[in-house]
Amino acid sequence: MKHILLLFLCVAFAHLAHAQTVNIIDGESKEPVDMATLIAVAEHAYAITNVYGQADISDFKNLTTIEIRSLGYQTRIMSYAQMEHDLFRVELERSNINLDDAVISATRWNQSSGDIPSRIAAISSRQVALQNPQTAADLLGTSGAVFIQKSQQGGGSPMIRGFATNRLLYSVDGIRMNTAIFRGGNLQNVISLDPFAIENTEVLFGPGSVIYGSDAIGGVMSFQTLTPQLSLGDQPLISGKAVVRYSSANSEKTGHFDVQVGWKKWAILTSFSANDYGDLKMGSQGPDEYLRPFYVQRIDSTDVVVTNDDPRVQRPTGYTQMNLMQKVRFAPNKRWDIQYGFHYSETSDYSRYDRHIRYKNGLPRYGEWSYGPQNWMMNMLSFTHNGDNAVYDQLTLRVAQQAFEESRISRDINKPDRETRIEEVDAYSVNLDLKKDIGERNTLFYGVEWVQNDVTSIGIDEDIDAGTSQPGAARYPQATWASYGVYATDRFRVSDKLIANAGVRYSQFSIEATFDTSFYPFPFTTASLNNGAVTGSLGFVFHPNPTWSISLNGATAFRSPNVDDIGKVFDSEPGAVTVPNPNLQAEYAYNADLGIAKVIGQRVKIDVTGYYTLLQNALVRRNYTLNGQDSIMYDGALSQVQAIQNAAEARVYGVQAGLEVKLPGGFGISSRINYQVGEEELDDGTVSPARHAAPWFGVSRVMLDIQRLQLQVYAQYSGEYTYDQLPVSEQSKTEIYAVDPNGNPYSPGWYTLNFKGTYKISHDLYVSAGVENITDQRYRPYSSGIVAPGRNMIISFRCQF
């Protein structure tokens, strides 16, 4: 009897020991749901499930309102007592029909999107696994709300609400990725991120300068990478995945693995990916102007124009890439969480395809034009403390060091003179963010930021016949760009139905630059800039009932001049050269948003957001003079002198709309469309369409999600820009556009039909397959230099443990 009683007590104590752990599972497949969030706002309690769908909920004991959210699932509200009654096993119902989803990082704090007046799109790791994007740029494009431009295969420049490049902000684990040489032309820095290593992606539409400072005019793209997970028991938590993938359109061969080991206080994570992309093949149905009939090849020290054996293959476009991430986490107790992250990305050289299709005197203009290896490295250390004191309830300190390297290598055809321009940026940042609840209705978010970029730029001129080299003109001056900011935002629950958000930020920014006058006769050798900017926001979210959400938001944003604006020398277009201008000021944006969302019978969700943005004192390229001359010799040609100037006003307005329908049997329908109109003032006072306002575009999907199987048939599409609708700056780029019946360039509309599927073969093994661009359309997205892939068959195997 004594032994039976002892056994009973042991079982009881074992049950109590595990009662602090909750298991969140998919109500249909009964599989664990990782990355589900549990929040008790008033009590400052927060937890997130691990790869086994488990979370420690000891901080939630005896609480009556616990919100459980995960992307793609219906939100549940439960009490601790209910969980205990259900033996700490919680089932979530699959659904995209939510007015509020968990927001992990776009606002720096864990908040419900239903409390935020700005529109936010979230892309979960489950969506990424189905879509199999090759790059982080492609990952953003799967949202249906971000337009992606590509100058070459190793590219991807997002366009959001008529803005792009240095008027958008990139954030990785809360660290600013924008540098002082982010340019107004198209960028490809986002490809440095590894889609396999990204845990969650969020896009905040509209100004984000109150939180993020300079550049956050059109939106913020926030990437949260994989987080090492701690063990909730005595045994180590070991998990990971391995992926191999092949794609036919560019003979892509990709391999990835990540593995993590977690103990109670320590956890480590390693992630590695390698990609090999061949030359990209375009579709068979579309404009003949896009075909590649010949290309340049170096044979026996001579540039030879070679006939392309398959004009649909875009040569040269192939490249390789590798990504490495290492993280270490230490949580000595429940109040402290310390994480170190190391990120490294490196590409091979990759050709800038839009330069290779420029012609001069009937021949390709360039014998070679490529970007050198694009390297990115980041070391990041973060400290999070749950203080619950008079100053803060939660504090996060992020300290980061980043190193960027990029280069450009060009040589005219049949000429021995090769120009190499190498840029290096060392970026340092410190962010201190604090959160404090004031009473039951007020939450204050505040913090300070310091950022510094040191820019080193060198030029090398090489004679490839003689094998000699000498210093050449650098692209940028040697410079330091710095920014200092302090911000505060307040969220006030006016009532159970109305939430008000208000914020303000002050930023001080400076540039110190030294110019080399050995190659160009600049009338200055140094330039200094020191100025400030104030930005603010005021927004409201109104929920008349649980099925309605109405949001109104007004915000300002700014972009401070950077080193690319103030000091770059480059050929902006044939016959023109851009030179430095040290007399620049910040540009300001004023934005208003109105959003309405409605859920009908838990089956249908409709959302519409309208917006208007006015950009004043815009930094744009305009004709200029250098030492009184409007033209100078550059790259062997007499070229019009231009410079970045505060010389224009621009405005963008548009609508973003979405429809989601949940049907019986695991079926669903969704559609998202984006319409934007951009206008910018020209030098002569006339108005031109804005360069980064894409044609209307969208995506529509039919989905099946049952048990082990996910299927999706979808269409992506974009509208046409006639010659008159093209921005004036685009009308001269005849090499990248189709030709209309009048002989003028234009951007045709396009569509693709696509199929994706994932099947769970066993507990650990998944197979994914798909066909993109089923009808083999030949199309080039607006402003892109490279033609999009033709019919593309994808096969991927994933082992997850």
Side-chain angles (χ1 to χ4, degrees):
M1 183 67 184
K2 181 187 296 185
H3 293 292
I4 295 175
L5 179 61
L6 182 60
L7 179 61
F8 175 81
L9 290 174
C10 288
V11 172
F13 277 117
H15 173 74
L16 289 173
H18 288 284
Q20 294 177 338
T21 298
V22 68
N23 292 274
I24 310 293
I25 64 172
D26 184 301
E28 185 174 329
S29 69
K30 311 304 179 186
E31 293 292 325
V33 177
D34 64 338
M35 295 299 296
T37 59
L38 297 92
I39 304 173
V41 177
E43 291 81 8
H44 313 144
Y46 173 80
I48 188 167
T49 57
N50 61 21
V51 68
Y52 298 122
Q54 298 174 335
D56 181 356
I57 59 169
S58 55
D59 290 342
F60 294 80
K61 192 173 180 65
N62 298 324
L63 298 186
T64 58
T65 304
I66 303 171
E67 299 175 2
I68 307 170
R69 295 191 177 94
S70 183
L71 287 173
Y73 292 91
Q74 191 69 34
T75 298
R76 287 197 65 176
I77 299 177
M78 303 180 68
S79 68
Y80 188 90
Q82 287 176 294
M83 291 185 185
E84 190 172 26
H85 179 269
D86 294 338
L87 302 179
F88 297 98
R89 178 185 170 96
V90 177
E91 296 187 2
L92 296 184
E93 179 185 354
R94 294 183 189 180
S95 176
N96 290 318
I97 311 301
N98 284 313
L99 288 179
D100 55 345
D101 291 316
V103 176
I104 304 302
S105 59
T107 59
R108 289 196 187 273
W109 296 104
N110 302 311
Q111 299 184 69
S112 163
S113 61
D115 295 343
I116 300 168
S118 299
R119 183 176 179 273
I120 294 178
I123 307 170
S124 69
S125 56
R126 191 167 185 261
Q127 293 171 278
V128 174
L130 174 66
Q131 293 297 328
N132 266 311
Q134 292 190 356
T135 69
D138 298 331
L139 183 156
L140 289 167
T142 65
S143 68
V146 179
F147 191 91
I148 303 298
Q149 180 276 350
K150 292 185 179 183
S151 296
Q152 64 281 326
Q153 187 173 201
S157 189
M159 296 183 182
I160 300 175
R161 289 190 173 185
F163 296 100
T165 62
N166 54 18
R167 289 176 180 143
L168 301 176
L169 189 127
Y170 303 80
S171 171
V172 182
D173 292 341
I175 303 299
R176 175 192 181 92
M177 195 182 187
N178 292 44
T179 73
I181 62 171
F182 267 34
R183 56 192 180 272
N186 299 304
L187 298 167
Q188 60 267 7
N189 296 71
V190 72
I191 71 168
S192 292
L193 302 177
D194 179 7
F196 290 110
I198 294 173
E199 197 168 67
N200 191 52
T201 303
E202 292 156 0
V203 182
L204 185 149
F205 296 90
S209 282
V210 170
I211 302 295
Y212 290 95
S214 179
D215 303 1
I217 291 178
V220 175
M221 291 157 286
S222 177
F223 301 90
Q224 182 70 36
T225 60
L226 297 173
T227 302
Q229 298 176 352
L230 300 170
S231 174
L232 300 178
D234 294 329
Q235 297 299 316
L237 172 66
I238 302 174
S239 64
K241 65 178 178 287
V243 182
V244 292
R245 183 176 65 210
Y246 175 79
S247 301
S248 64
N250 57 355
S251 298
E252 178 217 12
K253 295 172 282 292
T254 285
H256 165 83
F257 77 86
D258 62 73
V259 61
Q260 65 170 346
V261 182
W263 297 270
K264 285 188 175 182
K265 294 185 178 183
W266 288 90
I268 58 174
L269 183 150
T270 301
S271 172
F272 178 80
S273 295
N275 313 91
D276 186 339
Y277 306 110
D279 292 328
L280 184 64
K281 187 173 183 177
M282 67 183 77
S284 59
Q285 310 296 320
D288 289 343
E289 300 93 276
Y290 294 167
L291 293 171
R292 179 73 161 149
F294 49 79
Y295 61 97
V296 177
Q297 191 170 356
R298 189 77 174 170
I299 302 175
D300 295 331
S301 302
T302 303
D303 291 328
V304 179
V305 178
V306 178
T307 299
N308 195 350
D309 57 359
D310 186 348
R312 291 167 54 197
V313 176
Q314 300 172 85
R315 296 187 169 98
T317 54
Y319 75 104
T320 62
Q321 181 170 339
M322 61 84 67
N323 283 79
L324 173 66
M325 183 177 74
Q326 180 68 55
K327 285 192 172 184
V328 180
R329 182 180 182 186
F330 176 53
N333 52 53
K334 289 189 176 182
R335 288 188 175 272
W336 283 99
D337 192 342
I338 303 168
Q339 295 188 42
Y340 165 75
F342 171 78
H343 302 258
Y344 182 75
S345 174
E346 178 180 317
T347 72
S348 64
D349 290 5
Y350 52 97
S351 296
R352 181 165 175 180
Y353 185 73
D354 64 340
R355 290 293 194 260
H356 282 273
I357 57 176
R358 282 187 177 178
Y359 301 99
K360 186 177 181 180
N361 299 325
L363 290 174
R365 177 176 174 180
Y366 294 102
E368 55 182 307
W369 210 121
S370 64
Y371 289 105
Q374 178 173 292
N375 298 334
W376 170 62
M377 181 184 72
M378 181 170 77
N379 290 279
M380 189 271 285
L381 187 62
S382 70
F383 302 84
T384 298
H385 182 242
N386 295 303
D388 197 16
N389 54 47
V391 179
Y392 62 87
D393 296 323
Q394 189 176 40
L395 171 151
T396 299
L397 174 67
R398 298 179 180 92
V399 181
Q401 175 267 333
Q402 298 179 80
F404 301 81
E405 181 179 333
E406 59 186 54
S407 55
R408 295 160 177 80
I409 304 159
S410 63
R411 181 179 57 81
D412 285 354
I413 192 168
N414 296 322
K415 298 289 179 66
D417 303 320
R418 175 191 289 150
E419 296 181 349
T420 301
R421 303 295 181 258
I422 303 172
E423 285 73 54
E424 297 177 351
V425 179
D426 292 314
Y428 310 92
S429 62
V430 178
N431 291 87
L432 178 63
D433 300 294
L434 305 99
K435 173 185 174 183
K436 178 63 182 175
D437 286 335
I438 304 171
E440 295 183 356
R441 295 183 176 273
N442 254 53
T443 302
L444 178 66
F445 308 91
Y446 63 105
V448 295
E449 178 185 63
W450 170 77
V451 180
Q452 179 172 307
N453 286 188
D454 295 329
V455 178
T456 301
S457 183
I458 62 174
I460 302 171
D461 291 341
E462 181 182 0
D463 186 323
I464 62 173
D465 287 345
T468 60
S469 63
Q470 62 185 10
R475 181 177 171 91
Y476 296 112
Q478 313 310 304
T480 296
W481 178 92
S483 173
Y484 319 85
V486 56
Y487 78 91
T489 66
D490 184 74
R491 184 183 66 208
F492 178 58
R493 295 186 178 276
V494 181
S495 68
D496 292 340
K497 297 181 177 181
L498 180 63
I499 300 171
N501 292 264
V504 64
R505 179 189 180 104
Y506 178 76
S507 297
Q508 188 75 17
F509 51 88
S510 64
I511 297 179
E512 296 292 336
T514 301
F515 293 86
D516 184 354
T517 58
S518 303
F519 299 94
Y520 300 108
F522 301 135
F524 44 80
T525 58
T526 62
S528 296
L529 182 67
N530 197 331
N531 214 329
V534 177
T535 53
S537 64
L538 177 62
F540 301 91
V541 182
F542 179 52
H543 297 282
N545 58 54
T547 67
W548 278 96
S549 177
I550 302 171
S551 60
L552 178 65
N553 191 49
T556 62
F558 79 101
R559 186 175 77 83
S560 64
N562 63 19
V563 176
D564 184 87
D565 297 312
I566 203 172
K568 177 171 61 179
V569 178
F570 84 115
D571 57 331
S572 56
E573 56 191 47
V577 57
T578 297
V579 301
N581 176 14
N583 302 308
L584 296 176
Q585 299 176 354
E587 56 185 13
Y588 274 88
Y590 304 86
N591 179 83
D593 281 71
L594 175 63
I596 300 174
K598 169 66 176 175
V599 170
I600 304 172
Q602 297 299 316
R603 291 287 181 180
V604 179
K605 177 184 174 182
I606 302 171
D607 68 90
V608 180
T609 301
Y611 60 90
Y612 180 92
T613 305
L614 174 64
L615 184 67
Q616 292 187 328
N617 221 22
L619 291 162
V620 294
R621 192 169 62 238
R622 292 286 185 265
N623 289 342
Y624 195 62
T625 60
L626 183 63
N627 293 329
Q629 296 181 313
D630 61 7
S631 300
I632 62 172
M633 293 299 296
Y634 179 79
D635 200 18
L638 186 65
S639 301
Q640 169 70 53
V641 175
Q642 297 181 331
I644 302 296
Q645 303 172 55
N646 294 107
E649 183 175 279
R651 56 185 53 83
V652 180
Y653 54 91
V655 174
Q656 296 174 295
L659 170 68
E660 298 171 24
V661 181
K662 181 181 179 182
L663 300 173
F667 283 95
I669 298 172
S670 72
S671 189
R672 181 149 296 282
I673 192 165
N674 308 266
Y675 174 78
Q676 49 278 315
V677 176
E679 302 172 344
E680 68 178 18
E681 183 183 3
L682 298 179
D683 213 5
D684 59 3
T686 59
V687 173
S688 166
R691 177 185 177 188
H692 291 132
W696 64 267
F697 68 97
V699 61
S700 298
R701 309 179 191 272
V702 177
M703 302 160 286
L704 174 64
D705 193 348
I706 54 171
Q707 295 292 328
R708 296 169 173 262
L709 182 65
Q710 274 185 284
L711 297 177
Q712 194 173 108
V713 177
Y714 63 99
Q716 289 184 292
Y717 37 83
S718 177
E720 174 184 291
Y721 268 174
T722 66
Y723 174 75
D724 292 332
Q725 291 172 318
L726 283 177
V728 171
S729 61
E730 294 292 298
Q731 291 177 350
S732 61
K733 300 177 183 178
T734 55
E735 69 274 9
I736 67 172
Y737 289 108
V739 179
D740 68 15
N742 297 319
N744 294 319
Y746 82 110
S747 180
W750 54 267
Y751 75 93
T752 63
L753 298 177
N754 315 272
F755 167 79
K756 296 285 176 67
T758 295
Y759 181 71
K760 185 176 181 179
I761 299 174
S762 66
H763 180 71
D764 299 324
L765 186 61
Y766 298 77
V767 60
S768 298
V771 183
E772 296 175 334
N773 193 2
I774 295 171
T775 57
D776 208 26
Q777 298 297 302
R778 183 187 304 151
Y779 70 100
R780 179 180 264 141
Y782 163 72
S783 191
S784 292
I786 193 167
V787 182
R791 186 181 297 115
N792 183 33
M793 289 174 282
I794 305 166
I795 183 72
S796 171
F797 293 93
R798 181 172 89 250
C799 179
Q800 194 161 312
F801 58 93

